[in-house]
Amino acid sequence: ANRILDEGDVQHALTQVVVRQLSDAAGADLQLAEPFLASVVQQVVEADAFRTVFDGAVSRAHHVLVTRGSTDFVLDLKQAYGRIKGTLEQVAPKLASQLPSERKLDILVLTHNQLSAVYDTIDQVKRIVEVLTIVGVVSVASGIALSPRRWRALALAGFVLLGTAVLFLLALVVGRAVLHSRIGDPVYADAARSVFGVLTRGLVVQTVVIGAVAVMVAVAARFTDRHGLPAWPRATRGAWRWIVHAVPVPVLDVDHDGTVSDAEAAPGAVLARLRLPEPRRQVRRQHVARALALLAVGLVALFDTDFVTTVAVVLFGVAALYFAVVEGLAAWRGPRHPGTEPLPGSRL
């Protein structure tokens, strides 16, 4: 509820709902002052005290929503009415006197008939998900068990899972657009789209994590299918050496004969040289493209607080940023065109 209330579109929609209800209750005289009243209501909606009112309304509405055979699904915001009227009395007493003495501020979200349709839809979706999950797991397990090349079958299953995750993300994007187009009022449409984004953000994170794991499993299975299990120790050692060489570390300035120069050997000398990371063999534009892609992924994972919900995503973002720097340094030292040698030396 708090994340939903943080959305500016939701705050604006709540303000419009409250202002319209107050204006309808007070009569035509208050309609002329709606812009000023909206500014007062907006301040109340944005205040921390309103979160308590909003959380309580959502909690009560949630209890109604999960109870079959319940009445309409309504957000009851009457506790905010006293705060709105009290604030208005301080800045515009004459306008506040036009407000009714008692007023219910209710937002009707779904009627009883609409709730019944929601329950039926949820039941159907649950049954479909259960059947598809069982059929999918059995099919994948049977396919891998019966395949003459099981590692290749496992790799194919991983790529299929990745494709499914991508399709699911596209379905969420399409669903958000459809939801926005089905609501006639632009204010409510923007608020509904923001709420949809907040509610599905956890699904998006889980889908991204599942897709990443599927890719790693698929690549590992494909490698095993091509080279066999005995190739893994050699590949692991090679990957470790690449990681070690990719770490930029300070080094002493060593002469061609292997001796350390006097300037660097002096007491308190600053290790001002930096060993450049590997690899430096691709064309510069290839390193630049990878660096930009990794930089974008790392920044999103670290600085988008709504997206960062797991430690795994944070670590992935740190790794992506690090390798973005590695690729950037490699691009700076790499050749501009294919077939040319990189600049001599491996230190900056």
Side-chain angles (χ1 to χ4, degrees):
N2 287 329
R3 286 189 177 183
I4 290 174
L5 196 57
D6 288 336
E7 298 292 330
D9 292 334
V10 175
Q11 295 177 359
H12 182 58
L14 287 172
T15 300
Q16 295 299 318
V17 171
V18 172
V19 170
R20 290 174 187 177
Q21 292 192 24
L22 293 177
S23 180
D24 293 340
D29 294 337
L30 190 59
Q31 293 180 358
L32 300 176
E34 278 190 5
F36 178 74
L37 179 61
S39 64
V40 174
V41 175
Q42 183 77 24
Q43 294 178 6
V44 174
V45 170
E46 293 177 353
D48 292 336
F50 184 77
R51 293 183 180 273
T52 304
V53 177
F54 186 72
D55 290 346
V58 171
S59 179
R60 290 188 296 271
H62 175 263
H63 178 72
V64 172
L65 181 63
V66 299
T67 305
R68 283 186 176 272
S70 60
T71 56
D72 298 340
F73 180 35
V74 178
L75 285 179
D76 182 8
L77 301 177
K78 63 183 179 181
Q79 295 182 13
Y81 179 67
R83 301 181 185 276
I84 295 172
K85 190 173 183 179
T87 304
L88 198 59
E89 287 175 346
Q90 297 177 5
V91 295
K94 187 175 180 179
L95 182 61
S97 63
Q98 300 179 20
L99 296 180
S101 57
E102 294 183 0
R103 175 64 183 167
K104 289 185 177 181
L105 298 177
D106 297 333
I107 301 178
L108 178 61
V109 182
L110 292 173
T111 63
H112 176 71
N113 294 333
Q114 292 172 324
L115 281 175
S116 299
V118 170
Y119 295 142
D120 295 338
T121 303
I122 291 176
D123 290 340
Q124 293 178 4
V125 171
K126 286 172 63 177
R127 286 193 294 267
I128 292 174
V129 169
E130 290 173 356
V131 172
L132 289 180
T133 301
I134 295 174
V135 172
V137 172
V138 172
S139 300
V140 171
S142 302
I144 296 175
L146 298 177
S147 175
R149 298 177 62 178
R150 295 178 178 175
W151 289 112
R152 184 178 182 181
L154 180 60
L156 179 61
F159 287 122
V160 169
L161 182 59
L162 173 63
T164 305
V166 173
L167 289 177
F168 178 72
L169 294 177
L170 291 177
L172 290 179
V173 174
V174 173
R176 186 177 181 179
V178 171
L179 176 65
H180 186 270
S181 64
R182 293 291 298 273
I183 302 176
D185 193 316
V187 174
Y188 297 157
D190 293 339
R193 185 173 56 183
S194 298
V195 172
F196 183 85
V198 172
L199 295 179
T200 58
R201 201 159 285 154
L203 288 175
V204 172
V205 174
Q206 294 176 14
T207 304
V208 170
V209 172
I210 291 174
V213 173
V215 168
M216 291 187 291
V217 171
V219 171
R222 188 65 174 169
F223 177 83
T224 306
D225 177 65
R226 289 183 175 182
H227 305 285
L229 288 174
W232 272 103
R234 183 174 66 255
T236 303
R237 290 193 297 268
W240 178 251
R241 285 196 300 270
W242 182 86
I243 293 175
V244 171
H245 286 295
V247 177
V249 294
V251 294
L252 292 173
D253 188 10
V254 182
D255 296 334
H256 295 289
D257 58 357
T259 60
V260 180
S261 61
D262 294 338
E264 297 293 343
V270 178
L271 301 179
R273 295 184 180 273
L274 193 67
R275 185 182 66 196
L276 278 178
E278 296 290 347
R280 293 186 293 111
R281 300 173 183 174
Q282 279 85 9
V283 182
R284 180 174 296 180
R285 63 175 178 271
Q286 296 174 335
H287 289 295
V288 171
R290 282 198 293 265
L292 293 177
L294 290 168
L295 181 63
V297 173
L299 290 177
V300 169
L302 287 181
F303 293 103
D304 189 349
T305 55
D306 293 327
F307 182 78
V308 179
T309 57
T310 62
V311 177
V313 175
V314 176
L315 295 178
F316 177 75
V318 172
L321 286 177
Y322 168 74
F323 285 110
V325 175
V326 169
E327 291 292 343
L329 291 175
W332 183 67
R333 293 288 291 181
R336 293 180 179 271
H337 305 287
T340 59
E341 293 294 330
L343 295 176
S346 60
R347 288 174 293 175
L348 170 62

